[in-house]
Amino acid sequence: MPDHRIGNCRQPLKWLAAVVALAVVATTGPATADGPGPGPTSEPGYRAEPGYGVEAEAGDEPGAEPTPERAPTSEVSWLSFPGGVFAVDSLGHTVRYRACDGDTGRVADPDMRVAAGVASGEVTVEGNRYRYRVPLVGRSEGTLAVTRRHHPPTELTGVVVTSPQAPTDPVAGARLFPLSGQLARVVADASLNPAGVTVRDLSGRYGDQQIAVNGALRPKAASVIKLWILVELLRRVDCGQVSLDDGVLVTPADVVGGTGQLQFETFPQVVTLHRLAQYLIKYSDNIAANVLITYLGGFAPVNALIDSMNQRSTILARRMLDSAAALRGEENYTSPDDVVSLLGAVWDGEILTPASRDLMIGFMREQTLNTKIPAALPPGVPVAHKTGDLPDASHDVGYYLIPGSETAVAFLTAGPMDTGDETVRRMARTVYDFLVTPAGGAYEE
């Protein structure tokens, strides 16, 4: 049976090979949270990161299966350890330590050594020394020694995370490859909506393989950005820095329109962090999002979370419904690859504890905006998801919780919302049909 345990306790299998990307795909440019903004634009110089997933262009022949070969190491990796992460950029020679006890920010290490697929070195920040050895291959084990003034070193070990993660079993993973061809056909048919999709097996049935079609597409993030806000809040809960029972004063000045339920209540009132977190996802509440951004300390902490996981297509740059900021070009962006990077890290217990992971997925299961993924599937199929909507963007991302075929998905589109909705539904159904087909999946109605 597949191993469904959460966290770092699941030992990675030795993988024989991984899959080289089929193509580097174009992206579309800046994106925003809920509120009108400029349409998608190209962003010169942006490229897909190397990794272990299968990337298909929209023109690839559906069902075509590339031949697996030994994959290159990743340029960026991060080490997950209890209470924190240590990020490495081996090309830029920078590192970042971010944990319950502090954040170094991005630190240059010009003496970083990169050899045999391992980055190693030592940096000192504010008197604290960080000596690291981080393999640049996902699911490997890395080490970090932290030495503070007048204290012995603290030895930390943990799993290395790349985007995408290396498959645990490339032979089983190869059975997922035909899905990329099927999705490429849907993307190619969406003439009005540049679309991208990334899919990661979480069950082990397909060797934890990841595939993508236009996985580096970078549309406006819309309300999908709220997932990172929630993860940063829950990370602080895990660190013992805040409690979800704590209350936050919400005033009339915080009230905005769009999606959500808080706008229909009377203010000022104190709202618990638990209710703000729940409404943030369940109702995609814009007031909850903006209040939590302020509570967390602004955009910087959320962007620090994003940076610490090396998610380079994602940024939080404005509040919800801030049209003036959108007109100034201050927009929120993401990509299918970054979304699945986050969802995978949450599922595997690499960025949150199992308790916070379960709470987050529980909120996503309560989602009330169900016109995309759930509408495309037969009634009763278990999903946990988060939507994003703008006049020029339509997204739905989350988890298919089909027993034995649990899967993380990210369906993102730019262009007119109505046709984008339909494209998302077609992509969602394509994934579902593949998972439940006896030749490809484990679950039948």
Side-chain angles (χ1 to χ4, degrees), residues 47-71:
R47 62 184 179 83
E49 291 294 333
Y52 306 97
V54 175
E55 182 77 42
E57 286 186 334
D60 286 346
E61 180 182 354
E65 296 187 22
T67 302
E69 61 181 62
R70 189 170 186 85

PDB file of all heavy atoms in Angstrom, residues 47-71:
ATOM      1  N   ARG A  47      12.148  32.235 -16.698  1.00  0.00           N
ATOM      2  CA  ARG A  47      12.277  30.902 -17.262  1.00  0.00           C
ATOM      3  C   ARG A  47      11.867  29.870 -16.237  1.00  0.00           C
ATOM      4  O   ARG A  47      11.815  30.132 -15.038  1.00  0.00           O
ATOM      5  CB  ARG A  47      13.722  30.636 -17.686  1.00  0.00           C
ATOM      6  CG  ARG A  47      14.696  30.671 -16.527  1.00  0.00           C
ATOM      7  CD  ARG A  47      16.115  30.493 -17.041  1.00  0.00           C
ATOM      8  NE  ARG A  47      17.052  30.556 -15.944  1.00  0.00           N
ATOM      9  CZ  ARG A  47      17.344  29.521 -15.154  1.00  0.00           C
ATOM     10  NH1 ARG A  47      16.731  28.380 -15.335  1.00  0.00           N
ATOM     11  NH2 ARG A  47      18.238  29.639 -14.188  1.00  0.00           N
ATOM     12  N   ALA A  48      11.579  28.701 -16.717  1.00  0.00           N
ATOM     13  CA  ALA A  48      11.251  27.591 -15.831  1.00  0.00           C
ATOM     14  C   ALA A  48      12.523  27.114 -15.140  1.00  0.00           C
ATOM     15  O   ALA A  48      13.593  27.092 -15.729  1.00  0.00           O
ATOM     16  CB  ALA A  48      10.630  26.443 -16.611  1.00  0.00           C
ATOM     17  N   GLU A  49      12.389  26.723 -13.873  1.00  0.00           N
ATOM     18  CA  GLU A  49      13.524  26.180 -13.154  1.00  0.00           C
ATOM     19  C   GLU A  49      13.737  24.719 -13.547  1.00  0.00           C
ATOM     20  O   GLU A  49      12.795  23.988 -13.810  1.00  0.00           O
ATOM     21  CB  GLU A  49      13.262  26.252 -11.637  1.00  0.00           C
ATOM     22  CG  GLU A  49      13.245  27.669 -11.099  1.00  0.00           C
ATOM     23  CD  GLU A  49      14.595  28.333 -11.207  1.00  0.00           C
ATOM     24  OE1 GLU A  49      15.619  27.637 -11.194  1.00  0.00           O
ATOM     25  OE2 GLU A  49      14.633  29.554 -11.334  1.00  0.00           O
ATOM     26  N   PRO A  50      14.957  24.267 -13.577  1.00  0.00           N
ATOM     27  CA  PRO A  50      15.185  22.851 -13.851  1.00  0.00           C
ATOM     28  C   PRO A  50      14.647  22.000 -12.718  1.00  0.00           C
ATOM     29  O   PRO A  50      14.591  22.445 -11.581  1.00  0.00           O
ATOM     30  CB  PRO A  50      16.708  22.752 -13.935  1.00  0.00           C
ATOM     31  CG  PRO A  50      17.203  23.886 -13.118  1.00  0.00           C
ATOM     32  CD  PRO A  50      16.188  24.987 -13.297  1.00  0.00           C
ATOM     33  N   GLY A  51      14.262  20.780 -13.015  1.00  0.00           N
ATOM     34  CA  GLY A  51      13.739  19.951 -11.943  1.00  0.00           C
ATOM     35  C   GLY A  51      13.475  18.542 -12.419  1.00  0.00           C
ATOM     36  O   GLY A  51      14.055  18.064 -13.376  1.00  0.00           O
ATOM     37  N   TYR A  52      12.538  17.873 -11.753  1.00  0.00           N
ATOM     38  CA  TYR A  52      12.320  16.463 -11.983  1.00  0.00           C
ATOM     39  C   TYR A  52      10.924  16.189 -12.520  1.00  0.00           C
ATOM     40  O   TYR A  52      10.518  15.063 -12.620  1.00  0.00           O
ATOM     41  CB  TYR A  52      12.519  15.684 -10.684  1.00  0.00           C
ATOM     42  CG  TYR A  52      13.842  15.969 -10.053  1.00  0.00           C
ATOM     43  CD1 TYR A  52      13.953  16.913  -9.039  1.00  0.00           C
ATOM     44  CD2 TYR A  52      14.989  15.334 -10.488  1.00  0.00           C
ATOM     45  CE1 TYR A  52      15.186  17.181  -8.464  1.00  0.00           C
ATOM     46  CE2 TYR A  52      16.222  15.605  -9.917  1.00  0.00           C
ATOM     47  CZ  TYR A  52      16.305  16.532  -8.902  1.00  0.00           C
ATOM     48  OH  TYR A  52      17.514  16.804  -8.337  1.00  0.00           O
ATOM     49  N   GLY A  53      10.160  17.204 -12.842  1.00  0.00           N
ATOM     50  CA  GLY A  53       8.820  16.979 -13.347  1.00  0.00           C
ATOM     51  C   GLY A  53       8.833  16.819 -14.856  1.00  0.00           C
ATOM     52  O   GLY A  53       9.823  17.057 -15.520  1.00  0.00           O
ATOM     53  N   VAL A  54       7.695  16.403 -15.373  1.00  0.00           N
ATOM     54  CA  VAL A  54       7.517  16.318 -16.814  1.00  0.00           C
ATOM     55  C   VAL A  54       6.784  17.559 -17.262  1.00  0.00           C
ATOM     56  O   VAL A  54       5.678  17.837 -16.817  1.00  0.00           O
ATOM     57  CB  VAL A  54       6.708  15.058 -17.182  1.00  0.00           C
ATOM     58  CG1 VAL A  54       6.410  15.041 -18.662  1.00  0.00           C
ATOM     59  CG2 VAL A  54       7.489  13.814 -16.797  1.00  0.00           C
ATOM     60  N   GLU A  55       7.393  18.338 -18.123  1.00  0.00           N
ATOM     61  CA  GLU A  55       6.797  19.580 -18.607  1.00  0.00           C
ATOM     62  C   GLU A  55       6.443  19.402 -20.071  1.00  0.00           C
ATOM     63  O   GLU A  55       7.283  19.051 -20.897  1.00  0.00           O
ATOM     64  CB  GLU A  55       7.795  20.725 -18.460  1.00  0.00           C
ATOM     65  CG  GLU A  55       7.258  22.064 -18.890  1.00  0.00           C
ATOM     66  CD  GLU A  55       6.333  22.664 -17.858  1.00  0.00           C
ATOM     67  OE1 GLU A  55       6.651  22.584 -16.664  1.00  0.00           O
ATOM     68  OE2 GLU A  55       5.297  23.214 -18.245  1.00  0.00           O
ATOM     69  N   ALA A  56       5.180  19.600 -20.399  1.00  0.00           N
ATOM     70  CA  ALA A  56       4.722  19.447 -21.776  1.00  0.00           C
ATOM     71  C   ALA A  56       4.308  20.787 -22.336  1.00  0.00           C
ATOM     72  O   ALA A  56       3.748  21.621 -21.629  1.00  0.00           O
ATOM     73  CB  ALA A  56       3.546  18.477 -21.842  1.00  0.00           C
ATOM     74  N   GLU A  57       4.585  21.008 -23.610  1.00  0.00           N
ATOM     75  CA  GLU A  57       4.046  22.177 -24.284  1.00  0.00           C
ATOM     76  C   GLU A  57       2.643  21.858 -24.764  1.00  0.00           C
ATOM     77  O   GLU A  57       2.277  20.698 -24.971  1.00  0.00           O
ATOM     78  CB  GLU A  57       4.921  22.548 -25.481  1.00  0.00           C
ATOM     79  CG  GLU A  57       6.233  23.195 -25.083  1.00  0.00           C
ATOM     80  CD  GLU A  57       7.012  23.674 -26.280  1.00  0.00           C
ATOM     81  OE1 GLU A  57       6.818  23.110 -27.370  1.00  0.00           O
ATOM     82  OE2 GLU A  57       7.789  24.625 -26.127  1.00  0.00           O
ATOM     83  N   ALA A  58       1.846  22.901 -24.969  1.00  0.00           N
ATOM     84  CA  ALA A  58       0.474  22.687 -25.402  1.00  0.00           C
ATOM     85  C   ALA A  58       0.418  21.948 -26.728  1.00  0.00           C
ATOM     86  O   ALA A  58      -0.567  21.291 -27.043  1.00  0.00           O
ATOM     87  CB  ALA A  58      -0.249  24.027 -25.513  1.00  0.00           C
ATOM     88  N   GLY A  59       1.463  22.021 -27.542  1.00  0.00           N
ATOM     89  CA  GLY A  59       1.452  21.373 -28.832  1.00  0.00           C
ATOM     90  C   GLY A  59       1.965  19.942 -28.816  1.00  0.00           C
ATOM     91  O   GLY A  59       1.971  19.277 -29.847  1.00  0.00           O
ATOM     92  N   ASP A  60       2.415  19.441 -27.654  1.00  0.00           N
ATOM     93  CA  ASP A  60       2.915  18.081 -27.607  1.00  0.00           C
ATOM     94  C   ASP A  60       1.806  17.089 -27.922  1.00  0.00           C
ATOM     95  O   ASP A  60       0.654  17.297 -27.580  1.00  0.00           O
ATOM     96  CB  ASP A  60       3.464  17.757 -26.204  1.00  0.00           C
ATOM     97  CG  ASP A  60       4.784  18.440 -25.954  1.00  0.00           C
ATOM     98  OD1 ASP A  60       5.389  18.918 -26.930  1.00  0.00           O
ATOM     99  OD2 ASP A  60       5.193  18.504 -24.785  1.00  0.00           O
ATOM    100  N   GLU A  61       2.174  16.001 -28.525  1.00  0.00           N
ATOM    101  CA  GLU A  61       1.180  14.996 -28.863  1.00  0.00           C
ATOM    102  C   GLU A  61       0.623  14.377 -27.597  1.00  0.00           C
ATOM    103  O   GLU A  61       1.367  13.864 -26.756  1.00  0.00           O
ATOM    104  CB  GLU A  61       1.817  13.909 -29.724  1.00  0.00           C
ATOM    105  CG  GLU A  61       0.840  12.809 -30.121  1.00  0.00           C
ATOM    106  CD  GLU A  61       1.506  11.729 -30.929  1.00  0.00           C
ATOM    107  OE1 GLU A  61       2.697  11.912 -31.276  1.00  0.00           O
ATOM    108  OE2 GLU A  61       0.854  10.728 -31.218  1.00  0.00           O
ATOM    109  N   PRO A  62      -0.721  14.407 -27.399  1.00  0.00           N
ATOM    110  CA  PRO A  62      -1.299  13.826 -26.190  1.00  0.00           C
ATOM    111  C   PRO A  62      -0.906  12.360 -26.050  1.00  0.00           C
ATOM    112  O   PRO A  62      -0.947  11.589 -27.005  1.00  0.00           O
ATOM    113  CB  PRO A  62      -2.808  14.000 -26.415  1.00  0.00           C
ATOM    114  CG  PRO A  62      -2.916  15.152 -27.358  1.00  0.00           C
ATOM    115  CD  PRO A  62      -1.714  15.039 -28.256  1.00  0.00           C
ATOM    116  N   GLY A  63      -0.509  12.004 -24.848  1.00  0.00           N
ATOM    117  CA  GLY A  63      -0.172  10.629 -24.566  1.00  0.00           C
ATOM    118  C   GLY A  63       1.273  10.266 -24.845  1.00  0.00           C
ATOM    119  O   GLY A  63       1.700   9.167 -24.533  1.00  0.00           O
ATOM    120  N   ALA A  64       2.041  11.190 -25.440  1.00  0.00           N
ATOM    121  CA  ALA A  64       3.432  10.881 -25.730  1.00  0.00           C
ATOM    122  C   ALA A  64       4.201  10.724 -24.429  1.00  0.00           C
ATOM    123  O   ALA A  64       4.053  11.512 -23.515  1.00  0.00           O
ATOM    124  CB  ALA A  64       4.051  11.988 -26.570  1.00  0.00           C
ATOM    125  N   GLU A  65       5.047   9.716 -24.338  1.00  0.00           N
ATOM    126  CA  GLU A  65       5.782   9.437 -23.112  1.00  0.00           C
ATOM    127  C   GLU A  65       7.270   9.640 -23.347  1.00  0.00           C
ATOM    128  O   GLU A  65       7.881   8.930 -24.147  1.00  0.00           O
ATOM    129  CB  GLU A  65       5.530   8.005 -22.650  1.00  0.00           C
ATOM    130  CG  GLU A  65       4.077   7.746 -22.278  1.00  0.00           C
ATOM    131  CD  GLU A  65       3.877   6.374 -21.664  1.00  0.00           C
ATOM    132  OE1 GLU A  65       4.878   5.817 -21.157  1.00  0.00           O
ATOM    133  OE2 GLU A  65       2.767   5.872 -21.700  1.00  0.00           O
ATOM    134  N   PRO A  66       7.889  10.608 -22.668  1.00  0.00           N
ATOM    135  CA  PRO A  66       9.326  10.784 -22.813  1.00  0.00           C
ATOM    136  C   PRO A  66      10.075   9.641 -22.158  1.00  0.00           C
ATOM    137  O   PRO A  66       9.558   8.958 -21.288  1.00  0.00           O
ATOM    138  CB  PRO A  66       9.580  12.101 -22.082  1.00  0.00           C
ATOM    139  CG  PRO A  66       8.495  12.172 -21.069  1.00  0.00           C
ATOM    140  CD  PRO A  66       7.293  11.516 -21.712  1.00  0.00           C
ATOM    141  N   THR A  67      11.288   9.435 -22.563  1.00  0.00           N
ATOM    142  CA  THR A  67      12.115   8.391 -21.974  1.00  0.00           C
ATOM    143  C   THR A  67      12.796   8.939 -20.722  1.00  0.00           C
ATOM    144  O   THR A  67      13.492   9.941 -20.783  1.00  0.00           O
ATOM    145  CB  THR A  67      13.195   7.936 -22.969  1.00  0.00           C
ATOM    146  OG1 THR A  67      12.541   7.467 -24.148  1.00  0.00           O
ATOM    147  CG2 THR A  67      14.046   6.825 -22.367  1.00  0.00           C
ATOM    148  N   PRO A  68      12.590   8.294 -19.562  1.00  0.00           N
ATOM    149  CA  PRO A  68      13.239   8.789 -18.346  1.00  0.00           C
ATOM    150  C   PRO A  68      14.756   8.752 -18.485  1.00  0.00           C
ATOM    151  O   PRO A  68      15.317   7.850 -19.103  1.00  0.00           O
ATOM    152  CB  PRO A  68      12.759   7.808 -17.268  1.00  0.00           C
ATOM    153  CG  PRO A  68      11.517   7.197 -17.827  1.00  0.00           C
ATOM    154  CD  PRO A  68      11.739   7.138 -19.301  1.00  0.00           C
ATOM    155  N   GLU A  69      15.405   9.732 -17.908  1.00  0.00           N
ATOM    156  CA  GLU A  69      16.859   9.730 -17.854  1.00  0.00           C
ATOM    157  C   GLU A  69      17.279  10.412 -16.562  1.00  0.00           C
ATOM    158  O   GLU A  69      16.469  11.009 -15.876  1.00  0.00           O
ATOM    159  CB  GLU A  69      17.460  10.446 -19.056  1.00  0.00           C
ATOM    160  CG  GLU A  69      17.076  11.910 -19.178  1.00  0.00           C
ATOM    161  CD  GLU A  69      17.694  12.537 -20.415  1.00  0.00           C
ATOM    162  OE1 GLU A  69      17.376  12.098 -21.523  1.00  0.00           O
ATOM    163  OE2 GLU A  69      18.487  13.464 -20.251  1.00  0.00           O
ATOM    164  N   ARG A  70      18.532  10.289 -16.228  1.00  0.00           N
ATOM    165  CA  ARG A  70      19.000  10.858 -14.966  1.00  0.00           C
ATOM    166  C   ARG A  70      18.853  12.368 -15.010  1.00  0.00           C
ATOM    167  O   ARG A  70      19.344  13.029 -15.918  1.00  0.00           O
ATOM    168  CB  ARG A  70      20.452  10.471 -14.712  1.00  0.00           C
ATOM    169  CG  ARG A  70      20.919  10.856 -13.324  1.00  0.00           C
ATOM    170  CD  ARG A  70      22.280  10.244 -13.021  1.00  0.00           C
ATOM    171  NE  ARG A  70      22.644  10.513 -11.650  1.00  0.00           N
ATOM    172  CZ  ARG A  70      22.270   9.787 -10.621  1.00  0.00           C
ATOM    173  NH1 ARG A  70      21.488   8.750 -10.820  1.00  0.00           N
ATOM    174  NH2 ARG A  70      22.645  10.082  -9.392  1.00  0.00           N
ATOM    175  N   ALA A  71      18.184  12.910 -14.021  1.00  0.00           N
ATOM    176  CA  ALA A  71      17.882  14.336 -14.011  1.00  0.00           C
ATOM    177  C   ALA A  71      19.039  15.128 -13.432  1.00  0.00           C
ATOM    178  O   ALA A  71      19.812  14.631 -12.619  1.00  0.00           O
ATOM    179  CB  ALA A  71      16.635  14.602 -13.188  1.00  0.00           C
TER     180      ALA A  71
END
